[in-house]
Amino acid sequence: MILRISRTGANTVLFGVLLMLLGDFLFSLNDAMGKWLVASFSVGQVLVIRSLGSFLILAPIIARKGPHSLFRVERVSLQILRVILTTGDVAFFYAAVAYLPLADVMTFYMAGPIYVAALSHFFLGETIGWRRWLAVILGFVGVVIALRPSTAMLSWPSIFGLIGSLCFALTLILGRRLRQTSDATLVTWQTVGALVTGLLLGAGHWRAMSVLDFLAMLALGIVAGSAHMMITRALKLAPASLLAPLQYSLLLWAIVLGYVFFDELPDSQILAGSVIIVLAGLFIFHRKNMVETTSRADVPPDGH
């Protein structure tokens, strides 16, 4: 019986890992599709149709829970701030990939956990020891290298990518503060925010589209919604400490898809920056997990 339970638990964790990897791949595919579409259509138009696609995934969940459940939320002001940030995350990402290679923009977003580690000290009151602060600083060095310390560092696409990644990081922090709100409610309101923003940005910039273009934009929302559900489910099946480092597979997929669909390859500076960012992020995950899973007697006085 013990052996059977052990095997069942191992299979559950393995299924969670596979769901996480598949969800990350779908997010990468969604990013590549978005880059292809914003080359021909405005960010606002893509946001609108993408949001409609997301509602195709969300509608059955909302119907099952009841529309009234969407209005039972905690901390309304933080909910509104989160909607603004998630919308900025998506909008700035599309604005950046319209001009930059997919892997370049994804490198900025891979720094999200590093921003979270730094900002959590100020916004969540989490203790960050000198080792993690050192990793945070090294991570920022990686970001600067990826930005290219020159006049290109001030290019609008790079700034869009950097702002979008900061929005992403702040969204993760707010997700911790709003953990009592269901995922379906959070995703529904951020989809509403993206829809409204898309309507505003798309006004006067709406282009005629073919059936294929329309279906591709709908697919953006469907793929992203499916990926989000897979990752949410994965986090319930396997430990977050095991799954979190897997998100760096997004960078690998960005390089592969960027080359296959857009004939793009990251240059040496992007690769160097991304390696530093990934190593710093993995170290932060490792230290955080070690502190949370070891006894107080085994932890140095500074918390790390």
Side-chain angles (χ1 to χ4, degrees):
M1 176 66 70
I2 294 176
L3 179 60
R4 182 178 303 170
I5 293 174
S6 177
R7 285 179 176 174
T8 300
N11 289 337
T12 299
V13 171
L14 177 60
F15 186 57
V17 168
L18 293 176
L19 275 180
M20 184 72 176
L21 289 172
L22 181 57
D24 285 338
F25 169 72
L26 288 180
F27 269 130
S28 298
L29 184 61
N30 173 80
D31 295 339
M33 293 167 61
K35 177 176 174 62
W36 172 58
L37 287 166
V38 294
S40 303
F41 301 95
S42 69
V43 172
Q45 185 170 354
V46 172
L47 282 177
V48 170
I49 310 301
R50 178 187 187 271
S51 300
L52 296 179
S54 294
F55 281 124
L56 294 178
I57 295 292
L58 293 169
I61 302 175
I62 297 172
R64 186 171 66 252
K65 291 179 175 290
H68 59 279
S69 65
L70 298 177
F71 298 92
R72 293 201 301 267
V73 296
E74 53 180 328
R75 302 184 180 184
V76 175
S77 59
L78 291 184
Q79 297 281 355
I80 294 173
L81 178 59
R82 184 182 180 279
V83 168
I84 294 172
L85 290 171
T86 53
T87 302
D89 166 19
V90 176
F92 282 117
F93 178 86
Y94 286 150
V97 295
Y99 301 98
L100 294 176
L102 194 58
D104 291 32
V105 181
M106 190 55 64
T107 295
F108 298 140
Y109 274 75
M110 288 300 95
I114 295 170
Y115 302 148
V116 170
L119 296 174
S120 293
H121 174 76
F122 302 101
F123 293 103
L124 298 178
E126 294 184 0
T127 301
I128 307 295
W130 69 268
R131 293 177 181 86
R132 273 199 272 177
W133 274 121
L134 181 59
V136 167
I137 293 171
L138 289 176
F140 281 129
V141 170
V143 172
V144 172
I145 292 174
L147 278 170
R148 297 178 179 84
S150 64
T151 54
M153 191 173 178
L154 300 177
S155 69
W156 281 113
S158 294
I159 292 174
F160 289 156
L162 189 60
I163 294 175
S165 65
L166 286 171
C167 289
F168 170 69
L170 290 169
T171 297
L172 295 179
I173 292 175
L174 286 179
R176 296 185 190 180
R177 298 287 296 271
L178 301 173
R179 58 172 59 94
Q180 299 302 317
T181 305
S182 71
D183 289 329
T185 299
L186 290 174
V187 176
T188 297
W189 284 117
Q190 72 186 52
T191 303
V192 170
L195 177 63
V196 173
T197 302
L199 289 171
L200 294 174
L201 292 178
H205 302 283
W206 201 272
R207 286 188 54 191
M209 50 189 166
S210 66
V211 174
L212 177 61
D213 292 329
F214 177 76
L215 292 178
M217 291 185 205
L218 275 182
L220 276 181
I222 295 173
V223 170
S226 300
H228 180 85
M229 293 174 65
M230 288 180 183
I231 291 176
T232 300
R233 182 61 178 169
L235 289 169
K236 295 178 181 178
L237 298 176
S241 58
L242 175 63
L243 297 179
L246 298 179
Q247 72 175 323
Y248 290 109
S249 64
L250 287 166
L251 182 57
L252 175 62
W253 283 120
I255 294 174
V256 172
L257 295 176
Y259 176 71
V260 171
F261 293 110
F262 307 106
D263 196 27
E264 300 172 343
L265 281 175
D267 60 28
S268 58
Q269 281 190 259
I270 286 292
L271 288 176
S274 64
V275 168
I276 294 173
I277 290 169
V278 169
L279 290 177
L282 289 175
F283 181 81
I284 289 170
F285 281 131
H286 168 70
R287 293 299 303 178
K288 180 176 175 61
N289 184 50
M290 189 168 68
V291 169
E292 291 179 347
T293 56
T294 53
S295 65
R296 182 176 296 274
D298 295 329
V299 180
D302 68 342
H304 298 266

PDB file of all heavy atoms in Angstrom, residues 250-277:
ATOM      1  N   LEU A 250      10.849  29.017 -21.195  1.00  0.00           N
ATOM      2  CA  LEU A 250      10.268  30.038 -22.067  1.00  0.00           C
ATOM      3  C   LEU A 250      11.350  30.704 -22.929  1.00  0.00           C
ATOM      4  O   LEU A 250      11.119  31.001 -24.101  1.00  0.00           O
ATOM      5  CB  LEU A 250       9.552  31.107 -21.227  1.00  0.00           C
ATOM      6  CG  LEU A 250       8.217  30.715 -20.583  1.00  0.00           C
ATOM      7  CD1 LEU A 250       7.830  31.738 -19.522  1.00  0.00           C
ATOM      8  CD2 LEU A 250       7.131  30.613 -21.632  1.00  0.00           C
ATOM      9  N   LEU A 251      12.503  30.935 -22.333  1.00  0.00           N
ATOM     10  CA  LEU A 251      13.596  31.573 -23.074  1.00  0.00           C
ATOM     11  C   LEU A 251      14.101  30.654 -24.172  1.00  0.00           C
ATOM     12  O   LEU A 251      14.370  31.093 -25.298  1.00  0.00           O
ATOM     13  CB  LEU A 251      14.728  31.949 -22.117  1.00  0.00           C
ATOM     14  CG  LEU A 251      15.927  32.681 -22.727  1.00  0.00           C
ATOM     15  CD1 LEU A 251      15.484  33.954 -23.430  1.00  0.00           C
ATOM     16  CD2 LEU A 251      16.952  32.996 -21.640  1.00  0.00           C
ATOM     17  N   LEU A 252      14.218  29.360 -23.846  1.00  0.00           N
ATOM     18  CA  LEU A 252      14.655  28.389 -24.853  1.00  0.00           C
ATOM     19  C   LEU A 252      13.674  28.336 -26.016  1.00  0.00           C
ATOM     20  O   LEU A 252      14.079  28.367 -27.189  1.00  0.00           O
ATOM     21  CB  LEU A 252      14.797  27.008 -24.215  1.00  0.00           C
ATOM     22  CG  LEU A 252      15.142  25.857 -25.168  1.00  0.00           C
ATOM     23  CD1 LEU A 252      16.499  26.107 -25.826  1.00  0.00           C
ATOM     24  CD2 LEU A 252      15.146  24.529 -24.419  1.00  0.00           C
ATOM     25  N   TRP A 253      12.373  28.291 -25.685  1.00  0.00           N
ATOM     26  CA  TRP A 253      11.362  28.245 -26.746  1.00  0.00           C
ATOM     27  C   TRP A 253      11.357  29.538 -27.556  1.00  0.00           C
ATOM     28  O   TRP A 253      11.108  29.522 -28.766  1.00  0.00           O
ATOM     29  CB  TRP A 253       9.977  27.994 -26.157  1.00  0.00           C
ATOM     30  CG  TRP A 253       9.744  26.576 -25.755  1.00  0.00           C
ATOM     31  CD1 TRP A 253       9.446  26.097 -24.507  1.00  0.00           C
ATOM     32  CD2 TRP A 253       9.786  25.425 -26.619  1.00  0.00           C
ATOM     33  NE1 TRP A 253       9.313  24.728 -24.542  1.00  0.00           N
ATOM     34  CE2 TRP A 253       9.505  24.291 -25.822  1.00  0.00           C
ATOM     35  CE3 TRP A 253      10.030  25.249 -27.975  1.00  0.00           C
ATOM     36  CZ2 TRP A 253       9.461  23.000 -26.348  1.00  0.00           C
ATOM     37  CZ3 TRP A 253       9.994  23.970 -28.505  1.00  0.00           C
ATOM     38  CH2 TRP A 253       9.723  22.867 -27.704  1.00  0.00           C
ATOM     39  N   ALA A 254      11.621  30.667 -26.901  1.00  0.00           N
ATOM     40  CA  ALA A 254      11.663  31.947 -27.618  1.00  0.00           C
ATOM     41  C   ALA A 254      12.778  31.936 -28.658  1.00  0.00           C
ATOM     42  O   ALA A 254      12.603  32.445 -29.774  1.00  0.00           O
ATOM     43  CB  ALA A 254      11.856  33.098 -26.631  1.00  0.00           C
ATOM     44  N   ILE A 255      13.930  31.355 -28.293  1.00  0.00           N
ATOM     45  CA  ILE A 255      15.040  31.271 -29.249  1.00  0.00           C
ATOM     46  C   ILE A 255      14.672  30.355 -30.406  1.00  0.00           C
ATOM     47  O   ILE A 255      14.886  30.688 -31.583  1.00  0.00           O
ATOM     48  CB  ILE A 255      16.314  30.760 -28.543  1.00  0.00           C
ATOM     49  CG1 ILE A 255      16.786  31.791 -27.502  1.00  0.00           C
ATOM     50  CG2 ILE A 255      17.419  30.489 -29.558  1.00  0.00           C
ATOM     51  CD1 ILE A 255      17.947  31.309 -26.652  1.00  0.00           C
ATOM     52  N   VAL A 256      14.079  29.188 -30.088  1.00  0.00           N
ATOM     53  CA  VAL A 256      13.719  28.212 -31.126  1.00  0.00           C
ATOM     54  C   VAL A 256      12.642  28.772 -32.054  1.00  0.00           C
ATOM     55  O   VAL A 256      12.790  28.752 -33.291  1.00  0.00           O
ATOM     56  CB  VAL A 256      13.240  26.892 -30.488  1.00  0.00           C
ATOM     57  CG1 VAL A 256      12.670  25.956 -31.556  1.00  0.00           C
ATOM     58  CG2 VAL A 256      14.373  26.213 -29.740  1.00  0.00           C
ATOM     59  N   LEU A 257      11.560  29.294 -31.485  1.00  0.00           N
ATOM     60  CA  LEU A 257      10.460  29.809 -32.299  1.00  0.00           C
ATOM     61  C   LEU A 257      10.875  31.065 -33.062  1.00  0.00           C
ATOM     62  O   LEU A 257      10.429  31.289 -34.198  1.00  0.00           O
ATOM     63  CB  LEU A 257       9.240  30.094 -31.420  1.00  0.00           C
ATOM     64  CG  LEU A 257       8.604  28.857 -30.757  1.00  0.00           C
ATOM     65  CD1 LEU A 257       7.461  29.271 -29.836  1.00  0.00           C
ATOM     66  CD2 LEU A 257       8.088  27.878 -31.806  1.00  0.00           C
ATOM     67  N   GLY A 258      11.707  31.893 -32.445  1.00  0.00           N
ATOM     68  CA  GLY A 258      12.192  33.083 -33.136  1.00  0.00           C
ATOM     69  C   GLY A 258      13.000  32.723 -34.372  1.00  0.00           C
ATOM     70  O   GLY A 258      12.895  33.387 -35.414  1.00  0.00           O
ATOM     71  N   TYR A 259      13.778  31.660 -34.253  1.00  0.00           N
ATOM     72  CA  TYR A 259      14.583  31.228 -35.408  1.00  0.00           C
ATOM     73  C   TYR A 259      13.713  30.571 -36.479  1.00  0.00           C
ATOM     74  O   TYR A 259      13.837  30.858 -37.665  1.00  0.00           O
ATOM     75  CB  TYR A 259      15.665  30.258 -34.947  1.00  0.00           C
ATOM     76  CG  TYR A 259      16.490  29.691 -36.091  1.00  0.00           C
ATOM     77  CD1 TYR A 259      17.399  30.498 -36.773  1.00  0.00           C
ATOM     78  CD2 TYR A 259      16.329  28.370 -36.497  1.00  0.00           C
ATOM     79  CE1 TYR A 259      18.146  29.989 -37.827  1.00  0.00           C
ATOM     80  CE2 TYR A 259      17.070  27.855 -37.552  1.00  0.00           C
ATOM     81  CZ  TYR A 259      17.970  28.670 -38.212  1.00  0.00           C
ATOM     82  OH  TYR A 259      18.692  28.166 -39.267  1.00  0.00           O
ATOM     83  N   VAL A 260      12.788  29.687 -36.041  1.00  0.00           N
ATOM     84  CA  VAL A 260      11.958  28.931 -36.987  1.00  0.00           C
ATOM     85  C   VAL A 260      11.024  29.846 -37.766  1.00  0.00           C
ATOM     86  O   VAL A 260      10.898  29.731 -38.997  1.00  0.00           O
ATOM     87  CB  VAL A 260      11.156  27.844 -36.244  1.00  0.00           C
ATOM     88  CG1 VAL A 260      10.128  27.198 -37.183  1.00  0.00           C
ATOM     89  CG2 VAL A 260      12.087  26.775 -35.690  1.00  0.00           C
ATOM     90  N   PHE A 261      10.367  30.784 -37.080  1.00  0.00           N
ATOM     91  CA  PHE A 261       9.334  31.593 -37.727  1.00  0.00           C
ATOM     92  C   PHE A 261       9.828  32.955 -38.224  1.00  0.00           C
ATOM     93  O   PHE A 261       9.234  33.514 -39.156  1.00  0.00           O
ATOM     94  CB  PHE A 261       8.155  31.801 -36.767  1.00  0.00           C
ATOM     95  CG  PHE A 261       7.393  30.542 -36.461  1.00  0.00           C
ATOM     96  CD1 PHE A 261       7.455  29.970 -35.210  1.00  0.00           C
ATOM     97  CD2 PHE A 261       6.631  29.919 -37.440  1.00  0.00           C
ATOM     98  CE1 PHE A 261       6.758  28.804 -34.919  1.00  0.00           C
ATOM     99  CE2 PHE A 261       5.935  28.757 -37.172  1.00  0.00           C
ATOM    100  CZ  PHE A 261       6.000  28.188 -35.910  1.00  0.00           C
ATOM    101  N   PHE A 262      10.872  33.497 -37.600  1.00  0.00           N
ATOM    102  CA  PHE A 262      11.285  34.852 -37.960  1.00  0.00           C
ATOM    103  C   PHE A 262      12.756  34.936 -38.368  1.00  0.00           C
ATOM    104  O   PHE A 262      13.259  36.033 -38.611  1.00  0.00           O
ATOM    105  CB  PHE A 262      11.022  35.809 -36.783  1.00  0.00           C
ATOM    106  CG  PHE A 262       9.612  35.760 -36.274  1.00  0.00           C
ATOM    107  CD1 PHE A 262       9.316  35.131 -35.064  1.00  0.00           C
ATOM    108  CD2 PHE A 262       8.575  36.320 -36.994  1.00  0.00           C
ATOM    109  CE1 PHE A 262       8.021  35.068 -34.587  1.00  0.00           C
ATOM    110  CE2 PHE A 262       7.274  36.267 -36.521  1.00  0.00           C
ATOM    111  CZ  PHE A 262       6.989  35.637 -35.322  1.00  0.00           C
ATOM    112  N   ASP A 263      13.431  33.797 -38.402  1.00  0.00           N
ATOM    113  CA  ASP A 263      14.841  33.742 -38.784  1.00  0.00           C
ATOM    114  C   ASP A 263      15.677  34.668 -37.898  1.00  0.00           C
ATOM    115  O   ASP A 263      16.574  35.371 -38.370  1.00  0.00           O
ATOM    116  CB  ASP A 263      15.016  34.118 -40.265  1.00  0.00           C
ATOM    117  CG  ASP A 263      16.385  33.702 -40.805  1.00  0.00           C
ATOM    118  OD1 ASP A 263      16.953  32.741 -40.273  1.00  0.00           O
ATOM    119  OD2 ASP A 263      16.864  34.350 -41.751  1.00  0.00           O
ATOM    120  N   GLU A 264      15.369  34.658 -36.587  1.00  0.00           N
ATOM    121  CA  GLU A 264      16.063  35.497 -35.618  1.00  0.00           C
ATOM    122  C   GLU A 264      16.944  34.631 -34.715  1.00  0.00           C
ATOM    123  O   GLU A 264      16.526  33.560 -34.277  1.00  0.00           O
ATOM    124  CB  GLU A 264      15.066  36.263 -34.743  1.00  0.00           C
ATOM    125  CG  GLU A 264      14.138  37.196 -35.492  1.00  0.00           C
ATOM    126  CD  GLU A 264      13.063  37.759 -34.583  1.00  0.00           C
ATOM    127  OE1 GLU A 264      12.853  37.190 -33.479  1.00  0.00           O
ATOM    128  OE2 GLU A 264      12.414  38.740 -34.976  1.00  0.00           O
ATOM    129  N   LEU A 265      18.117  35.118 -34.433  1.00  0.00           N
ATOM    130  CA  LEU A 265      18.983  34.477 -33.455  1.00  0.00           C
ATOM    131  C   LEU A 265      19.529  35.548 -32.519  1.00  0.00           C
ATOM    132  O   LEU A 265      19.932  36.623 -32.981  1.00  0.00           O
ATOM    133  CB  LEU A 265      20.143  33.749 -34.138  1.00  0.00           C
ATOM    134  CG  LEU A 265      19.827  32.380 -34.763  1.00  0.00           C
ATOM    135  CD1 LEU A 265      21.048  31.844 -35.496  1.00  0.00           C
ATOM    136  CD2 LEU A 265      19.378  31.385 -33.688  1.00  0.00           C
ATOM    137  N   PRO A 266      19.513  35.305 -31.209  1.00  0.00           N
ATOM    138  CA  PRO A 266      20.030  36.301 -30.280  1.00  0.00           C
ATOM    139  C   PRO A 266      21.531  36.491 -30.457  1.00  0.00           C
ATOM    140  O   PRO A 266      22.258  35.548 -30.743  1.00  0.00           O
ATOM    141  CB  PRO A 266      19.705  35.699 -28.903  1.00  0.00           C
ATOM    142  CG  PRO A 266      19.585  34.229 -29.147  1.00  0.00           C
ATOM    143  CD  PRO A 266      19.026  34.094 -30.531  1.00  0.00           C
ATOM    144  N   ASP A 267      21.990  37.738 -30.299  1.00  0.00           N
ATOM    145  CA  ASP A 267      23.422  37.995 -30.425  1.00  0.00           C
ATOM    146  C   ASP A 267      24.140  37.656 -29.125  1.00  0.00           C
ATOM    147  O   ASP A 267      23.526  37.234 -28.139  1.00  0.00           O
ATOM    148  CB  ASP A 267      23.685  39.434 -30.857  1.00  0.00           C
ATOM    149  CG  ASP A 267      23.138  40.452 -29.863  1.00  0.00           C
ATOM    150  OD1 ASP A 267      23.042  40.127 -28.666  1.00  0.00           O
ATOM    151  OD2 ASP A 267      22.799  41.574 -30.285  1.00  0.00           O
ATOM    152  N   SER A 268      25.432  37.845 -29.106  1.00  0.00           N
ATOM    153  CA  SER A 268      26.245  37.439 -27.949  1.00  0.00           C
ATOM    154  C   SER A 268      25.878  38.201 -26.681  1.00  0.00           C
ATOM    155  O   SER A 268      25.903  37.634 -25.582  1.00  0.00           O
ATOM    156  CB  SER A 268      27.730  37.652 -28.265  1.00  0.00           C
ATOM    157  OG  SER A 268      28.000  39.004 -28.598  1.00  0.00           O
ATOM    158  N   GLN A 269      25.510  39.487 -26.811  1.00  0.00           N
ATOM    159  CA  GLN A 269      25.158  40.263 -25.620  1.00  0.00           C
ATOM    160  C   GLN A 269      23.863  39.772 -24.998  1.00  0.00           C
ATOM    161  O   GLN A 269      23.746  39.676 -23.774  1.00  0.00           O
ATOM    162  CB  GLN A 269      25.049  41.748 -25.970  1.00  0.00           C
ATOM    163  CG  GLN A 269      26.405  42.446 -26.067  1.00  0.00           C
ATOM    164  CD  GLN A 269      26.246  43.949 -26.180  1.00  0.00           C
ATOM    165  OE1 GLN A 269      26.356  44.499 -27.258  1.00  0.00           O
ATOM    166  NE2 GLN A 269      25.988  44.611 -25.079  1.00  0.00           N
ATOM    167  N   ILE A 270      22.875  39.459 -25.828  1.00  0.00           N
ATOM    168  CA  ILE A 270      21.617  38.932 -25.312  1.00  0.00           C
ATOM    169  C   ILE A 270      21.851  37.586 -24.635  1.00  0.00           C
ATOM    170  O   ILE A 270      21.322  37.308 -23.552  1.00  0.00           O
ATOM    171  CB  ILE A 270      20.580  38.787 -26.449  1.00  0.00           C
ATOM    172  CG1 ILE A 270      20.058  40.165 -26.856  1.00  0.00           C
ATOM    173  CG2 ILE A 270      19.415  37.906 -26.017  1.00  0.00           C
ATOM    174  CD1 ILE A 270      19.220  40.851 -25.789  1.00  0.00           C
ATOM    175  N   LEU A 271      22.662  36.732 -25.263  1.00  0.00           N
ATOM    176  CA  LEU A 271      22.950  35.423 -24.672  1.00  0.00           C
ATOM    177  C   LEU A 271      23.679  35.567 -23.342  1.00  0.00           C
ATOM    178  O   LEU A 271      23.347  34.886 -22.361  1.00  0.00           O
ATOM    179  CB  LEU A 271      23.781  34.584 -25.645  1.00  0.00           C
ATOM    180  CG  LEU A 271      23.047  34.048 -26.875  1.00  0.00           C
ATOM    181  CD1 LEU A 271      24.013  33.333 -27.801  1.00  0.00           C
ATOM    182  CD2 LEU A 271      21.921  33.102 -26.459  1.00  0.00           C
ATOM    183  N   ALA A 272      24.670  36.467 -23.293  1.00  0.00           N
ATOM    184  CA  ALA A 272      25.406  36.678 -22.047  1.00  0.00           C
ATOM    185  C   ALA A 272      24.480  37.214 -20.955  1.00  0.00           C
ATOM    186  O   ALA A 272      24.506  36.738 -19.809  1.00  0.00           O
ATOM    187  CB  ALA A 272      26.559  37.653 -22.282  1.00  0.00           C
ATOM    188  N   GLY A 273      23.655  38.195 -21.314  1.00  0.00           N
ATOM    189  CA  GLY A 273      22.715  38.748 -20.339  1.00  0.00           C
ATOM    190  C   GLY A 273      21.716  37.720 -19.855  1.00  0.00           C
ATOM    191  O   GLY A 273      21.416  37.634 -18.660  1.00  0.00           O
ATOM    192  N   SER A 274      21.200  36.906 -20.784  1.00  0.00           N
ATOM    193  CA  SER A 274      20.198  35.912 -20.408  1.00  0.00           C
ATOM    194  C   SER A 274      20.788  34.838 -19.497  1.00  0.00           C
ATOM    195  O   SER A 274      20.128  34.375 -18.564  1.00  0.00           O
ATOM    196  CB  SER A 274      19.594  35.272 -21.662  1.00  0.00           C
ATOM    197  OG  SER A 274      20.570  34.556 -22.396  1.00  0.00           O
ATOM    198  N   VAL A 275      22.046  34.437 -19.753  1.00  0.00           N
ATOM    199  CA  VAL A 275      22.697  33.442 -18.895  1.00  0.00           C
ATOM    200  C   VAL A 275      22.835  33.974 -17.472  1.00  0.00           C
ATOM    201  O   VAL A 275      22.539  33.272 -16.491  1.00  0.00           O
ATOM    202  CB  VAL A 275      24.081  33.049 -19.468  1.00  0.00           C
ATOM    203  CG1 VAL A 275      24.882  32.255 -18.435  1.00  0.00           C
ATOM    204  CG2 VAL A 275      23.919  32.227 -20.735  1.00  0.00           C
ATOM    205  N   ILE A 276      23.265  35.232 -17.335  1.00  0.00           N
ATOM    206  CA  ILE A 276      23.409  35.836 -16.005  1.00  0.00           C
ATOM    207  C   ILE A 276      22.056  35.929 -15.316  1.00  0.00           C
ATOM    208  O   ILE A 276      21.918  35.605 -14.124  1.00  0.00           O
ATOM    209  CB  ILE A 276      24.056  37.233 -16.120  1.00  0.00           C
ATOM    210  CG1 ILE A 276      25.500  37.112 -16.621  1.00  0.00           C
ATOM    211  CG2 ILE A 276      24.032  37.956 -14.772  1.00  0.00           C
ATOM    212  CD1 ILE A 276      26.160  38.441 -16.919  1.00  0.00           C
ATOM    213  N   ILE A 277      21.023  36.343 -16.051  1.00  0.00           N
ATOM    214  CA  ILE A 277      19.686  36.487 -15.474  1.00  0.00           C
ATOM    215  C   ILE A 277      19.155  35.137 -15.003  1.00  0.00           C
ATOM    216  O   ILE A 277      18.613  35.002 -13.897  1.00  0.00           O
ATOM    217  CB  ILE A 277      18.728  37.108 -16.513  1.00  0.00           C
ATOM    218  CG1 ILE A 277      19.095  38.581 -16.735  1.00  0.00           C
ATOM    219  CG2 ILE A 277      17.274  36.988 -16.057  1.00  0.00           C
ATOM    220  CD1 ILE A 277      18.379  39.212 -17.919  1.00  0.00           C
TER     221      ILE A 277
END
